[in-house]
Amino acid sequence: MPIDPNGPVPLYQQIADYIRQLVAAGVFRSAEALPSLRALAVQLAVNPNTVQRAYDQLEREGLVYARRGLGLFVAERGAELARNKSQEALYQTFMQAILAGKAAQLSGEKIGAIFQRALAGADVKARNQ
Amino acid sequence: MIQATSSDLAIELVGVTKRYRRNTAVRELSLQIPKGAAFGFIGPNGAGKTTTIRMIMGLLPMTAGQGNVLGINLNSGQDQVKRYVGYVPEQHFIYRWMRVGQVVRFCRSFYETWNDKYCSELLDLFGLDGHQKVKHLSKGMVTKLALVLALAHEPELLILDEPMAGLDPLVREEIVERVLHSICERKRTVFLSSHTLSDVRRVSDVIGIIHEGQLLTVAPTEQLVSGTKRIRAVLEEGQQPKESPEGTIWNRVQGREWLITVKDFTSNTVERLRSANPLQNIEVIDLGLEEIFKDYIRGAEVAA
Amino acid sequence: MRALIWKDFMANRVLWIGGLALILLPYLLCALVATISYKGQAHDWWYIFANAPGISCMISFLVVAMVGGVAIAGERPDRSSEFLAYLPPSRAAIITSKAMVGIGVITVICLLNMFALYVIEEVKTKEVLERMKVVYGAICSSAILIFGFAWLYSSFLKNPIYSTGLCIATVLLFWMLFAFVYDTMNWGSNHMVIFTPLATVVGIGAFVGGIFSYLHRVEP
């Protein structure tokens, strides 16, 4: 289940993130149709209005475009946009972490050092897999 | 016959109060639910959810206030409401001696809008066999039967009162899915009362929190979730908080730590909090619906 | 309305069948006893068999009390009354259906007893027919009285056992009170002339009271 109904992130945001991931990963490719509003609402077990909101946001971003009566299709540059957007999401995640560090009275330098350590740790993990 | 007004509201309650001899079950409750919306109604046990639902269905006369359900005035046409409402309760008292097919035929006779094709589709989907006796059905199956009975007459309003209580996760998922289906396909208004907050969040556009008969808040679901934040402030040595920010739902001081939960959070909230109080440090924490619900109830309990 | 009547009839079908069997049982038993003891002697056989209607009548009253007792309260222990409450039929429709089934069943019981009494009576002289009319009046008015009280109690009690029991107690009290007043007042030899209309009126009054009490209740 890609949706966490207990978490603090708005559900439409979670749905938009989920679709972006799928587009970035190539599950949905350019000019291909996204699942219909109802289908996705029932599949994810969320209110269709919530899915509508996620789709609206994706359309505004230019990731998808609407064809009247046919639904939503992935834009030509959809995958690229999705990857850019995931950089944005990454930025937000780091931002959250940095703010938490600041709240714990850590200096910028210290936070940077921790980031470097985490990056090295991730490399080790990736090699071991 | 009472004609529906052109109003876009499925449910409209104004100052609805229900008093029993000693206690007040529902106090001055006002609520507007537009047609096609899914409303989630949450509150602790005994908060007045079922009493409110029984008044909406015209089963219980209100002590004071005005109500309108699907254009029917609750003070004059209350007997009409049930025809247009599908209802699923927490406990089911469907005639145990009847067979599934008999229950369906029995209920069918009371609705002009009964859809046979839809009904048999639902029965098949849930694996309900017309020959089975109700007393031999499991709790999950009886709930499914109740949902079929509530949906088959294509009601304009679907009221679910703790429908998922005591069911296993698979049945719960099926019920939620079916309710969502009916929202998608038939533009029904849904009124869902439940303790399973994750289900409420999935289904509802709007959430209302009730506590001891009083409605604490009504807000669009995602606005409620993303607009409600908990602030953890650290007080200066030996200082006490001076002024809680606007929109404080609940707050607690423990040693130097001051926890404040606010609604309609903006960046201004932090600025103002900092300028009005002697604080060392401020951290803003995102909350899930469960935490938000608890803080609303805690806050109301402190206030009372 | 048809569905409601079907439901009210089917819900207590065990009682209808059981009650009917109980009412017919004395005839069967008396016939059995008479056959065993007086084989071939037609007159004596008839003499024993003629006890059956009296016993059957008493059992019928008991069944009538149960019919009234379960009429409304019968749906309360399993709380199916709550299921019904959320369906569209009004309380007036619900009570009408119950009344129709109840009255239908007690009519059948009364007719059955009257028919049996008619058949049992060997010689149908004018005096016998006159006397039978009085007995018929007594049977029907008693049935109305019993049903009325059972129905009244059924309208507000939670369990059909309570309503049936309380009804039997009330009716016994009514009978005793009537006999006591009748004796002290010295109203003459034919007490049925007073009992029949009195029981009918009181029974109908209780029945109407039951309807009012049901319609003014908020359930559950």
Side-chain angles (χ1 to χ4, degrees):
Chain A
M1 184 57 57
I3 302 298
D4 171 19
N6 296 313
V9 183
L11 291 186
Y12 68 90
Q13 201 82 54
Q14 295 186 35
I15 296 166
D17 289 344
Y18 172 60
I19 298 292
R20 258 187 241 109
Q21 278 171 27
L22 293 180
V23 172
V27 175
F28 299 122
R29 302 203 172 153
S30 81
E32 279 180 1
L34 288 186
S36 78
L37 204 80
R38 294 167 184 177
L40 194 63
V42 173
Q43 187 204 324
L44 298 177
V46 296
N47 188 299
N49 291 336
T50 313
V51 178
Q52 178 71 59
R53 236 174 125 182
Y55 276 9
D56 285 349
Q57 190 180 340
L58 293 173
E59 205 180 334
R60 270 200 307 278
E61 287 168 11
L63 192 89
V64 297
Y65 61 94
R67 282 170 66 184
R68 192 165 293 181
L70 293 172
L72 287 176
F73 292 80
V74 180
E76 207 175 320
R77 292 174 54 242
E80 191 189 326
L81 282 168
R83 275 191 286 273
N84 287 346
K85 192 74 192 176
S86 60
Q87 284 178 21
E88 177 65 22
L90 193 60
Y91 172 82
Q92 290 297 340
T93 313
F94 284 149
M95 177 71 96
Q96 284 294 319
I98 292 165
L99 286 177
K102 295 242 177 203
Q105 307 288 353
L106 296 176
S107 67
E109 236 168 71
K110 190 86 187 162
I111 293 170
I114 293 170
F115 174 76
Q116 292 300 335
R117 219 175 75 210
L119 204 59
D123 281 341
V124 172
K125 224 176 190 174
R127 237 176 288 135
N128 288 348
Q129 270 173 3
Chain B
M1 211 30 232
I2 291 139
Q3 287 295 313
T5 60
S6 58
S7 157
D8 290 328
L9 295 175
I11 298 175
E12 186 179 21
L13 303 177
V14 182
V16 168
T17 298
K18 180 71 201 178
R19 255 191 302 275
Y20 293 103
R21 252 161 266 155
R22 284 267 175 81
N23 63 324
T24 305
V26 174
R27 203 184 303 259
E28 303 257 326
L29 188 139
S30 296
L31 183 63
Q32 295 191 325
I33 302 173
K35 282 187 179 155
F39 179 75
F41 199 32
I42 59 181
N45 288 324
K49 296 187 300 273
T50 301
T51 306
T52 307
I53 287 175
R54 296 191 55 221
M55 286 192 283
I56 289 173
M57 290 198 69
L59 287 166
L60 199 65
M62 47 184 91
T63 316
Q66 289 288 321
N68 222 289
V69 174
L70 303 169
I72 299 165
N73 187 325
L74 286 182
N75 289 316
S76 56
Q78 65 274 23
D79 291 345
Q80 301 289 314
V81 177
K82 291 185 281 182
R83 296 166 185 241
Y84 310 104
V85 176
Y87 171 74
V88 182
E90 177 185 359
Q91 283 176 291
H92 304 283
F93 305 113
I94 302 175
Y95 293 96
R96 289 168 56 78
W97 53 268
M98 284 192 196
R99 293 178 192 282
V100 169
Q102 289 176 319
V103 178
V104 169
R105 256 171 283 136
F106 178 69
C107 291
R108 178 186 188 278
S109 68
F110 302 126
Y111 300 98
E112 286 150 35
T113 49
W114 192 273
N115 182 337
D116 282 316
K117 190 167 158 276
Y118 184 39
C119 180
S120 54
E121 273 172 26
L122 288 172
L123 288 173
D124 285 349
L125 191 87
F126 285 145
L128 280 159
D129 171 13
H131 297 289
Q132 278 170 302
K133 279 212 168 160
V134 173
K135 65 176 157 207
H136 295 145
L137 296 177
S138 65
K139 177 157 195 224
M141 289 308 259
V142 176
T143 306
K144 289 177 186 174
L145 176 59
L147 188 62
V148 173
L149 298 176
L151 288 173
H153 64 97
E154 311 245 25
E156 289 175 53
L157 172 63
L158 181 64
I159 296 182
L160 305 132
D161 189 4
E162 301 276 357
M164 267 88 78
L167 297 178
D168 67 67
L170 284 174
V171 178
R172 248 178 53 205
E173 192 73 23
E174 261 185 285
I175 304 266
V176 170
E177 242 172 54
R178 232 345 79 188
V179 170
L180 287 166
H181 242 289
S182 81
I183 297 176
C184 291
E185 286 168 8
R186 302 175 198 246
K187 275 285 158 208
R188 270 182 198 121
T189 311
V190 172
F191 188 109
L192 167 67
S193 148
S194 175
H195 284 309
T196 323
L197 298 187
S198 56
D199 291 334
V200 173
R201 187 166 171 204
R202 285 154 181 272
V203 172
S204 323
D205 309 308
V206 180
I207 286 180
I209 303 178
I210 188 173
H211 174 67
E212 297 194 334
Q214 261 173 318
L215 207 50
L216 300 178
T217 188
V218 178
T221 308
E222 294 311 323
Q223 194 177 308
L224 181 71
V225 175
S226 53
T228 311
K229 304 277 185 207
R230 189 179 293 154
I231 302 169
R232 176 184 286 134
V234 180
L235 292 157
E236 300 268 10
E237 199 56 46
Q239 297 279 351
Q240 284 296 312
K242 290 207 172 79
E243 190 189 323
S244 297
E246 209 179 305
T248 297
I249 297 163
W250 168 82
N251 76 106
R252 188 193 69 192
V253 180
Q254 205 168 42
R256 288 196 200 88
E257 186 193 58
W258 182 24
L259 292 178
I260 316 144
T261 305
V262 292
K263 62 179 177 185
D264 305 326
F265 175 88
T266 63
S267 49
N268 274 341
T269 316
V270 176
E271 306 281 315
R272 284 214 208 108
L273 185 70
R274 203 189 290 279
S275 60
N277 294 282
L279 302 176
Q280 272 185 359
N281 201 343
I282 286 181
E283 188 190 353
V284 179
I285 305 161
D286 293 332
L287 296 175
L289 183 56
E290 195 133 347
E291 287 298 313
I292 293 169
F293 170 70
K294 281 190 216 153
D295 284 359
Y296 263 102
I297 302 303
R298 282 181 198 144
E301 260 158 19
V302 170
Chain C
M1 184 54 85
R2 253 170 61 192
L4 283 176
I5 292 174
W6 169 81
K7 181 266 297 173
D8 284 321
F9 185 79
M10 292 294 280
N12 294 311
R13 58 195 188 285
V14 177
L15 177 62
W16 310 152
I17 296 166
L20 194 71
L22 271 179
I23 292 168
L24 295 177
L25 195 67
Y27 293 97
L28 196 77
L29 284 180
C30 289
L32 205 70
V33 171
T35 310
I36 292 165
S37 0
Y38 298 101
K39 235 180 270 170
Q41 287 163 290
H43 183 78
D44 293 332
W45 188 93
W46 200 252
Y47 183 75
I48 288 200
F49 187 68
N51 286 315
I55 307 168
S56 179
C57 221
M58 282 298 133
I59 293 175
S60 298
F61 289 155
L62 211 70
V63 175
V64 168
M66 287 198 276
V67 171
V70 299
I72 306 167
E75 286 197 69
R76 293 206 181 108
D78 68 355
R79 296 174 72 180
S80 53
S81 58
E82 289 173 42
F83 173 67
L84 194 59
Y86 285 93
L87 292 174
S90 64
R91 286 178 77 78
I94 292 169
I95 192 89
T96 307
S97 155
K98 289 178 183 302
M100 282 164 78
V101 171
I103 291 170
V105 170
I106 63 158
T107 307
V108 169
I109 292 173
C110 286
L111 286 176
L112 200 74
N113 279 298
M114 279 152 62
F115 176 73
L117 277 174
Y118 185 80
V119 172
I120 294 286
E121 211 62 61
E122 275 180 300
V123 254
K124 292 174 179 79
T125 60
K126 221 172 185 181
E127 296 88 65
V128 168
L129 287 177
E130 268 314 300
R131 206 183 68 230
M132 255 161 69
K133 253 190 215 160
V134 175
V135 174
Y136 281 2
I139 290 175
C140 292
S141 60
S142 298
I144 291 170
L145 179 74
I146 295 165
F147 180 70
F149 274 117
W151 171 271
L152 173 65
Y153 294 137
S154 190
S155 72
F156 59 84
L157 288 175
K158 280 199 164 58
N159 194 308
I161 298 170
Y162 303 156
S163 50
T164 308
L166 204 58
C167 162
I168 292 169
T170 311
V171 170
L172 287 178
L173 202 71
F174 181 87
W175 272 336
M176 288 194 301
L177 218 65
F178 176 78
F180 176 73
V181 172
Y182 194 88
D183 282 350
T184 30
M185 295 300 212
N186 261 326
W187 275 337
S189 58
N190 195 352
H191 57 276
M192 276 305 155
V193 176
I194 295 173
F195 181 83
T196 304
L198 184 68
T200 309
V201 168
V202 171
I204 291 174
F207 176 75
V208 173
I211 292 177
F212 271 102
S213 125
Y214 179 80
L215 291 178
H216 284 91
R217 265 176 74 91
V218 173
E219 269 179 295

